[in-house]
Amino acid sequence: MVTTTTPLTRSARSDKAILDATRELLADGGVRDLTVEGVAARAGVAKTTIYRRWRGKHELALAVLIDMVEHVVATPDLGDTRAELVSFVDAAVTILGSTLMGRVMQGLVSDLASDPGLATAFQDRVVAMRIAEADRLLARGIERGDLRADTDVELAHELLFGPVYYRLLLSGAPLDAGLAGRVVDAVIAAFAA
């Protein structure tokens, strides 16, 4: 069997080159050191090509973050609500604690607070995906009888991820390997059937 791949359009090639260059530069120096000029030079495109798609370095950083989140695989059905929630939270702990995504989040947080357009894009693309996955996992836990039927799904989601972001952005405490299990156990205790 022969498989063929469709070649990328010129625009898609440019977008890929820009996002790859942004990712590399973020890895080198974080959001603070990121510049549109640097991205353009590394990607081999004109600055105007970047500005036609993104308003500046913060939108580029957000685009990389969105790209990373969109490639996170959904949590499989493990037959156990606790195991699924631990897997879900642990994936975030691992990604935020040991990959570029954590540094991008740290660099973007003040801009999300001061730029309503950027905040809306982040909420619509990044947060919404995580909420949808949490909703799915919590609904499955309710169906199994592991969680109460009146579980406040929005609050449970916030309780699952609040400690992770608190450590990442405020306290500086480590995003350690056991964090997900401890957080999930506390949430399950609060909403157990």
Side-chain angles (χ1 to χ4, degrees), residues 9 11 18 23 70 89 128 142 181 189:
T9 64
S11 177
I18 291 165
R23 192 175 291 107
E70 287 176 344
V89 175
I142 292 167

Side-chain angles (χ1 to χ4, degrees), residues 37-185:
E37 293 79 11
V39 172
R42 178 140 330 170
V45 299
K47 287 189 316 186
T48 54
T49 301
I50 295 172
Y51 283 119
R52 275 195 293 270
R53 294 163 174 81
W54 298 280
R55 290 184 300 172
K57 73 176 191 174
H58 295 105
E59 283 193 9
L60 281 168
L62 180 59
V64 166
L65 189 62
I66 289 167
D67 186 58
M68 293 171 86
V69 169
E70 287 176 344
H71 289 94
V72 173
V73 179
T75 305
D77 185 339
L78 301 173
D80 178 336
T81 301
R82 181 188 183 280
E84 291 168 3
L85 291 174
V86 168
S87 175
F88 180 50
V89 175
D90 192 52
V93 167
T94 300
I95 289 168
L96 291 170
S98 63
T99 70
L100 172 65
M101 194 166 166
R103 291 204 337 253
V104 172
M105 276 301 306
Q106 289 169 324
L108 279 177
V109 88
S110 64
D111 296 301
L112 292 172
S114 63
D115 183 334
L118 196 61
T120 298
F122 179 78
Q123 291 160 354
D124 290 349
R125 300 287 301 279
V126 176
V127 175
M129 289 179 70
R130 303 313 296 159
I131 289 173
E133 181 65 0
D135 287 352
R136 189 177 71 80
L137 296 174
L138 293 166
R140 199 157 57 202
I142 292 167
E143 287 172 17
R144 287 184 185 129
D146 296 335
L147 302 173
R148 291 192 323 262
D150 68 343
T151 294
D152 183 335
V153 174
E154 183 177 345
L155 179 60
H157 177 262
E158 291 169 353
L159 292 171
L160 288 168
F161 288 96
V164 175
Y165 284 98
Y166 178 80
R167 285 181 178 216
L168 178 71
L169 301 172
L170 299 173
S171 77
L175 294 174
D176 60 86
L179 179 62
R182 294 189 310 273
V183 169
V184 168
D185 287 343

